[in-house]
Amino acid sequence: MIEAIKERDQAMKEMTEINASIAAERDETKRLLEWFQNRCLEFMNEKAKWETREGTARAQKK
């Protein structure tokens, strides 16, 4: 019985470590996604400014 409790405790500890690792990876992925989204918006804004300066901007469809 004591051995079963020790095994359960070890399994719980390992699961907790795995969950913490997954959470850290998830948070890093979210930060990367946010960074890429912001960069994409910056590039889109720069492209729109360039097109406006060059006179090649297209009217948006509604």
Side-chain angles (χ1 to χ4, degrees), residues 1-11:
M1 176 87 158
I2 293 174
E3 189 63 32
I5 292 172
K6 287 181 182 179
E7 288 176 10
R8 184 206 62 191
D9 289 347
Q10 181 62 32

Side-chain angles (χ1 to χ4, degrees), residues 15-27:
M15 287 175 47
T16 299
E17 291 170 357
I18 290 169
N19 285 339
S21 174
I22 291 170
E25 289 179 24
R26 179 201 61 218
D27 293 345

Side-chain angles (χ1 to χ4, degrees), residues 25-38:
E25 289 179 24
R26 179 201 61 218
D27 293 345
E28 177 64 17
T29 301
K30 282 183 178 181
R31 282 190 291 275
L32 282 171
L33 174 63
E34 211 171 274
W35 183 84
F36 280 111
Q37 287 174 329
N38 289 335

Side-chain angles (χ1 to χ4, degrees), residues 36-46:
F36 280 111
Q37 287 174 329
N38 289 335
R39 290 294 291 156
C40 182
L41 290 173
E42 288 174 22
F43 284 127
M44 288 172 60
N45 286 334
E46 285 300 314

